[in-house]
PDB file of all heavy atoms in Angstrom:
ATOM      1  N   LYS A   1     -15.500  -8.965  -9.328  1.00  0.00           N
ATOM      2  CA  LYS A   1     -14.908  -8.499  -7.965  1.00  0.00           C
ATOM      3  C   LYS A   1     -13.391  -8.116  -8.075  1.00  0.00           C
ATOM      4  O   LYS A   1     -13.045  -7.121  -7.459  1.00  0.00           O
ATOM      5  CB  LYS A   1     -14.997  -9.593  -6.936  1.00  0.00           C
ATOM      6  CG  LYS A   1     -16.468 -10.029  -6.469  1.00  0.00           C
ATOM      7  CD  LYS A   1     -16.481 -10.991  -5.392  1.00  0.00           C
ATOM      8  CE  LYS A   1     -17.789 -11.322  -4.880  1.00  0.00           C
ATOM      9  NZ  LYS A   1     -17.872 -12.460  -3.886  1.00  0.00           N
ATOM     10  N   VAL A   2     -12.721  -8.950  -8.863  1.00  0.00           N
ATOM     11  CA  VAL A   2     -11.304  -8.452  -9.153  1.00  0.00           C
ATOM     12  C   VAL A   2     -11.274  -7.008  -9.882  1.00  0.00           C
ATOM     13  O   VAL A   2     -10.440  -6.199  -9.431  1.00  0.00           O
ATOM     14  CB  VAL A   2     -10.584  -9.572 -10.030  1.00  0.00           C
ATOM     15  CG1 VAL A   2      -9.179  -9.036 -10.435  1.00  0.00           C
ATOM     16  CG2 VAL A   2     -10.529 -10.912  -9.222  1.00  0.00           C
ATOM     17  N   ARG A   3     -12.077  -6.912 -10.812  1.00  0.00           N
ATOM     18  CA  ARG A   3     -12.095  -5.555 -11.569  1.00  0.00           C
ATOM     19  C   ARG A   3     -12.418  -4.607 -10.600  1.00  0.00           C
ATOM     20  O   ARG A   3     -11.959  -3.366 -10.741  1.00  0.00           O
ATOM     21  CB  ARG A   3     -13.023  -5.707 -12.761  1.00  0.00           C
ATOM     22  CG  ARG A   3     -12.591  -6.599 -13.898  1.00  0.00           C
ATOM     23  CD  ARG A   3     -13.429  -6.498 -15.132  1.00  0.00           C
ATOM     24  NE  ARG A   3     -13.331  -7.557 -16.183  1.00  0.00           N
ATOM     25  CZ  ARG A   3     -14.225  -8.549 -16.157  1.00  0.00           C
ATOM     26  NH1 ARG A   3     -15.264  -8.613 -15.425  1.00  0.00           N
ATOM     27  NH2 ARG A   3     -13.819  -9.616 -17.085  1.00  0.00           N
ATOM     28  N   SER A   4     -13.482  -4.760  -9.800  1.00  0.00           N
ATOM     29  CA  SER A   4     -13.938  -3.681  -8.920  1.00  0.00           C
ATOM     30  C   SER A   4     -12.867  -3.351  -7.888  1.00  0.00           C
ATOM     31  O   SER A   4     -12.638  -2.232  -7.532  1.00  0.00           O
ATOM     32  CB  SER A   4     -15.214  -4.284  -8.146  1.00  0.00           C
ATOM     33  OG  SER A   4     -15.636  -3.300  -7.201  1.00  0.00           O
ATOM     34  N   ALA A   5     -12.065  -4.396  -7.348  1.00  0.00           N
ATOM     35  CA  ALA A   5     -11.016  -4.053  -6.492  1.00  0.00           C
ATOM     36  C   ALA A   5      -9.907  -3.322  -7.150  1.00  0.00           C
ATOM     37  O   ALA A   5      -9.333  -2.324  -6.463  1.00  0.00           O
ATOM     38  CB  ALA A   5     -10.421  -5.457  -6.015  1.00  0.00           C
ATOM     39  N   LEU A   6      -9.677  -3.496  -8.337  1.00  0.00           N
ATOM     40  CA  LEU A   6      -8.688  -2.819  -9.144  1.00  0.00           C
ATOM     41  C   LEU A   6      -8.961  -1.340  -9.274  1.00  0.00           C
ATOM     42  O   LEU A   6      -8.199  -0.439  -9.253  1.00  0.00           O
ATOM     43  CB  LEU A   6      -8.281  -3.475 -10.436  1.00  0.00           C
ATOM     44  CG  LEU A   6      -7.602  -4.787 -10.415  1.00  0.00           C
ATOM     45  CD1 LEU A   6      -7.433  -5.424 -11.848  1.00  0.00           C
ATOM     46  CD2 LEU A   6      -6.173  -4.711  -9.743  1.00  0.00           C
ATOM     47  N   ILE A   7     -10.299  -1.032  -9.531  1.00  0.00           N
ATOM     48  CA  ILE A   7     -10.773   0.234  -9.815  1.00  0.00           C
ATOM     49  C   ILE A   7     -10.904   0.977  -8.480  1.00  0.00           C
ATOM     50  O   ILE A   7     -10.424   2.107  -8.429  1.00  0.00           O
ATOM     51  CB  ILE A   7     -12.137   0.207 -10.540  1.00  0.00           C
ATOM     52  CG1 ILE A   7     -12.124  -0.376 -11.921  1.00  0.00           C
ATOM     53  CG2 ILE A   7     -12.765   1.698 -10.566  1.00  0.00           C
ATOM     54  CD1 ILE A   7     -13.421  -0.689 -12.515  1.00  0.00           C
ATOM     55  N   SER A   8     -11.438   0.465  -7.476  1.00  0.00           N
ATOM     56  CA  SER A   8     -11.526   1.056  -6.245  1.00  0.00           C
ATOM     57  C   SER A   8     -10.539   0.516  -5.185  1.00  0.00           C
ATOM     58  O   SER A   8     -10.894  -0.427  -4.469  1.00  0.00           O
ATOM     59  CB  SER A   8     -12.950   1.070  -5.665  1.00  0.00           C
ATOM     60  OG  SER A   8     -13.405  -0.407  -5.521  1.00  0.00           O
ATOM     61  N   LYS A   9      -9.245   1.040  -5.274  1.00  0.00           N
ATOM     62  CA  LYS A   9      -8.291   0.434  -4.345  1.00  0.00           C
ATOM     63  C   LYS A   9      -8.445   0.825  -2.902  1.00  0.00           C
ATOM     64  O   LYS A   9      -8.912   1.993  -2.705  1.00  0.00           O
ATOM     65  CB  LYS A   9      -6.957   0.821  -4.943  1.00  0.00           C
ATOM     66  CG  LYS A   9      -6.478   0.353  -6.217  1.00  0.00           C
ATOM     67  CD  LYS A   9      -5.044   0.777  -6.625  1.00  0.00           C
ATOM     68  CE  LYS A   9      -4.836   0.175  -8.019  1.00  0.00           C
ATOM     69  NZ  LYS A   9      -3.352   0.631  -8.490  1.00  0.00           N
ATOM     70  N   THR A  10      -8.157  -0.020  -2.057  1.00  0.00           N
ATOM     71  CA  THR A  10      -8.264   0.140  -0.578  1.00  0.00           C
ATOM     72  C   THR A  10      -7.209   1.190  -0.177  1.00  0.00           C
ATOM     73  O   THR A  10      -6.059   1.010  -0.649  1.00  0.00           O
ATOM     74  CB  THR A  10      -8.088  -1.169   0.238  1.00  0.00           C
ATOM     75  OG1 THR A  10      -9.024  -2.047  -0.249  1.00  0.00           O
ATOM     76  CG2 THR A  10      -8.185  -0.908   1.644  1.00  0.00           C
ATOM     77  N   PRO A  11      -7.399   2.173   0.493  1.00  0.00           N
ATOM     78  CA  PRO A  11      -6.470   3.167   0.837  1.00  0.00           C
ATOM     79  C   PRO A  11      -5.410   2.462   1.715  1.00  0.00           C
ATOM     80  O   PRO A  11      -5.662   1.581   2.528  1.00  0.00           O
ATOM     81  CB  PRO A  11      -7.244   4.099   1.687  1.00  0.00           C
ATOM     82  CG  PRO A  11      -8.624   3.986   1.338  1.00  0.00           C
ATOM     83  CD  PRO A  11      -8.797   2.537   0.939  1.00  0.00           C
ATOM     84  N   ASN A  12      -4.125   2.978   1.628  1.00  0.00           N
ATOM     85  CA  ASN A  12      -3.065   2.481   2.357  1.00  0.00           C
ATOM     86  C   ASN A  12      -3.106   2.743   3.816  1.00  0.00           C
ATOM     87  O   ASN A  12      -3.164   3.996   4.165  1.00  0.00           O
ATOM     88  CB  ASN A  12      -1.821   3.132   1.792  1.00  0.00           C
ATOM     89  CG  ASN A  12      -0.533   2.521   2.441  1.00  0.00           C
ATOM     90  OD1 ASN A  12      -0.518   1.710   3.314  1.00  0.00           O
ATOM     91  ND2 ASN A  12       0.770   2.970   1.954  1.00  0.00           N
ATOM     92  N   PRO A  13      -3.232   1.757   4.752  1.00  0.00           N
ATOM     93  CA  PRO A  13      -3.422   1.981   6.186  1.00  0.00           C
ATOM     94  C   PRO A  13      -2.204   2.539   6.738  1.00  0.00           C
ATOM     95  O   PRO A  13      -2.366   3.121   7.745  1.00  0.00           O
ATOM     96  CB  PRO A  13      -3.714   0.587   6.626  1.00  0.00           C
ATOM     97  CG  PRO A  13      -3.130  -0.310   5.673  1.00  0.00           C
ATOM     98  CD  PRO A  13      -3.125   0.298   4.288  1.00  0.00           C
ATOM     99  N   TYR A  14      -1.053   2.508   6.113  1.00  0.00           N
ATOM    100  CA  TYR A  14       0.218   3.035   6.760  1.00  0.00           C
ATOM    101  C   TYR A  14       0.769   4.121   5.591  1.00  0.00           C
ATOM    102  O   TYR A  14       1.907   3.762   4.982  1.00  0.00           O
ATOM    103  CB  TYR A  14       1.202   2.018   6.947  1.00  0.00           C
ATOM    104  CG  TYR A  14       0.408   0.838   7.793  1.00  0.00           C
ATOM    105  CD1 TYR A  14       0.211  -0.402   7.405  1.00  0.00           C
ATOM    106  CD2 TYR A  14       0.359   1.060   9.226  1.00  0.00           C
ATOM    107  CE1 TYR A  14      -0.382  -1.358   8.061  1.00  0.00           C
ATOM    108  CE2 TYR A  14      -0.245   0.121   9.947  1.00  0.00           C
ATOM    109  CZ  TYR A  14      -0.656  -1.123   9.469  1.00  0.00           C
ATOM    110  OH  TYR A  14      -1.242  -2.024  10.375  1.00  0.00           O
ATOM    111  N   PRO A  15       0.213   5.116   5.417  1.00  0.00           N
ATOM    112  CA  PRO A  15       0.703   6.043   4.370  1.00  0.00           C
ATOM    113  C   PRO A  15       2.042   6.592   4.723  1.00  0.00           C
ATOM    114  O   PRO A  15       2.828   7.016   3.672  1.00  0.00           O
ATOM    115  CB  PRO A  15      -0.382   7.203   4.322  1.00  0.00           C
ATOM    116  CG  PRO A  15      -0.998   7.175   5.732  1.00  0.00           C
ATOM    117  CD  PRO A  15      -1.052   5.699   6.184  1.00  0.00           C
ATOM    118  N   ASN A  16       2.403   6.645   5.944  1.00  0.00           N
ATOM    119  CA  ASN A  16       3.730   7.291   6.372  1.00  0.00           C
ATOM    120  C   ASN A  16       4.809   6.368   6.504  1.00  0.00           C
ATOM    121  O   ASN A  16       5.938   6.705   6.994  1.00  0.00           O
ATOM    122  CB  ASN A  16       3.482   7.993   7.646  1.00  0.00           C
ATOM    123  CG  ASN A  16       2.580   9.315   7.525  1.00  0.00           C
ATOM    124  OD1 ASN A  16       2.524   9.836   6.335  1.00  0.00           O
ATOM    125  ND2 ASN A  16       1.754   9.499   8.513  1.00  0.00           N
ATOM    126  N   LEU A  17       4.670   5.032   6.112  1.00  0.00           N
ATOM    127  CA  LEU A  17       5.624   3.977   6.313  1.00  0.00           C
ATOM    128  C   LEU A  17       6.716   4.198   5.354  1.00  0.00           C
ATOM    129  O   LEU A  17       6.608   4.303   4.051  1.00  0.00           O
ATOM    130  CB  LEU A  17       4.950   2.661   6.073  1.00  0.00           C
ATOM    131  CG  LEU A  17       5.899   1.442   6.315  1.00  0.00           C
ATOM    132  CD1 LEU A  17       6.335   1.357   7.768  1.00  0.00           C
ATOM    133  CD2 LEU A  17       5.224   0.141   5.987  1.00  0.00           C
ATOM    134  N   ASP A  18       8.011   4.358   5.867  1.00  0.00           N
ATOM    135  CA  ASP A  18       9.080   4.568   4.988  1.00  0.00           C
ATOM    136  C   ASP A  18       9.747   3.107   4.561  1.00  0.00           C
ATOM    137  O   ASP A  18      10.332   2.442   5.403  1.00  0.00           O
ATOM    138  CB  ASP A  18      10.196   5.350   5.849  1.00  0.00           C
ATOM    139  CG  ASP A  18      11.338   5.678   4.990  1.00  0.00           C
ATOM    140  OD1 ASP A  18      11.481   5.320   3.838  1.00  0.00           O
ATOM    141  OD2 ASP A  18      12.315   6.348   5.511  1.00  0.00           O
ATOM    142  N   MET A  19       9.632   3.007   3.217  1.00  0.00           N
ATOM    143  CA  MET A  19      10.125   1.700   2.604  1.00  0.00           C
ATOM    144  C   MET A  19      11.569   1.910   2.048  1.00  0.00           C
ATOM    145  O   MET A  19      12.077   0.851   1.625  1.00  0.00           O
ATOM    146  CB  MET A  19       9.223   1.149   1.742  1.00  0.00           C
ATOM    147  CG  MET A  19       7.789   0.872   2.260  1.00  0.00           C
ATOM    148  SD  MET A  19       7.917  -0.525   3.397  1.00  0.00           S
ATOM    149  CE  MET A  19       8.173  -1.872   2.461  1.00  0.00           C
ATOM    150  N   ASP A  20      12.029   3.053   2.056  1.00  0.00           N
ATOM    151  CA  ASP A  20      13.298   3.333   1.297  1.00  0.00           C
ATOM    152  C   ASP A  20      14.536   3.516   2.308  1.00  0.00           C
ATOM    153  O   ASP A  20      15.668   3.207   1.880  1.00  0.00           O
ATOM    154  CB  ASP A  20      13.101   4.550   0.455  1.00  0.00           C
ATOM    155  CG  ASP A  20      12.066   4.372  -0.563  1.00  0.00           C
ATOM    156  OD1 ASP A  20      12.055   3.395  -1.138  1.00  0.00           O
ATOM    157  OD2 ASP A  20      11.306   5.329  -0.724  1.00  0.00           O
ATOM    158  N   SER A  21      14.341   4.004   3.508  1.00  0.00           N
ATOM    159  CA  SER A  21      15.382   4.212   4.388  1.00  0.00           C
ATOM    160  C   SER A  21      16.152   2.965   4.853  1.00  0.00           C
ATOM    161  O   SER A  21      15.432   1.904   4.923  1.00  0.00           O
ATOM    162  CB  SER A  21      15.066   5.098   5.548  1.00  0.00           C
ATOM    163  OG  SER A  21      14.545   6.365   5.154  1.00  0.00           O
ATOM    164  N   ASN A  22      17.426   2.990   5.033  1.00  0.00           N
ATOM    165  CA  ASN A  22      18.153   1.839   5.749  1.00  0.00           C
ATOM    166  C   ASN A  22      17.662   1.561   6.998  1.00  0.00           C
ATOM    167  O   ASN A  22      17.543   2.437   7.894  1.00  0.00           O
ATOM    168  CB  ASN A  22      19.664   2.244   5.633  1.00  0.00           C
ATOM    169  CG  ASN A  22      20.461   1.015   5.779  1.00  0.00           C
ATOM    170  OD1 ASN A  22      20.168  -0.131   6.382  1.00  0.00           O
ATOM    171  ND2 ASN A  22      21.576   0.979   5.024  1.00  0.00           N
ATOM    172  N   VAL A  23      17.258   0.285   7.253  1.00  0.00           N
ATOM    173  CA  VAL A  23      16.846  -0.195   8.570  1.00  0.00           C
ATOM    174  C   VAL A  23      17.873  -0.474   9.670  1.00  0.00           C
ATOM    175  O   VAL A  23      17.594  -0.471  10.764  1.00  0.00           O
ATOM    176  CB  VAL A  23      15.928  -1.358   8.426  1.00  0.00           C
ATOM    177  CG1 VAL A  23      14.649  -1.224   7.633  1.00  0.00           C
ATOM    178  CG2 VAL A  23      16.762  -2.538   7.880  1.00  0.00           C
ATOM    179  N   PHE A  24      19.178  -0.523   9.047  1.00  0.00           N
ATOM    180  CA  PHE A  24      20.293  -0.774  10.013  1.00  0.00           C
ATOM    181  C   PHE A  24      20.825   0.570  10.541  1.00  0.00           C
ATOM    182  O   PHE A  24      20.860   1.635   9.881  1.00  0.00           O
ATOM    183  CB  PHE A  24      21.473  -1.414   9.216  1.00  0.00           C
ATOM    184  CG  PHE A  24      21.022  -2.881   8.762  1.00  0.00           C
ATOM    185  CD1 PHE A  24      20.786  -3.079   7.467  1.00  0.00           C
ATOM    186  CD2 PHE A  24      21.005  -3.880   9.693  1.00  0.00           C
ATOM    187  CE1 PHE A  24      20.403  -4.406   7.082  1.00  0.00           C
ATOM    188  CE2 PHE A  24      20.673  -5.110   9.335  1.00  0.00           C
ATOM    189  CZ  PHE A  24      20.407  -5.395   7.963  1.00  0.00           C
TER     190      PHE A  24
END
């Protein structure tokens, strides 16, 4: 199951989420 999960990754539900910009 672990190998299968690594091969077929779940799509990112928040593809447009900005993790780099300053939140302040």
Side-chain angles (χ1 to χ4, degrees):
K1 289 182 179 180
V2 171
R3 293 190 194 101
S4 176
L6 289 173
I7 294 170
S8 55
K9 294 182 179 180
T10 304
N12 184 356
Y14 308 106
N16 298 319
L17 184 63
D18 184 359
M19 299 295 289
D20 298 318
S21 299
N22 198 322
V23 297
F24 294 105

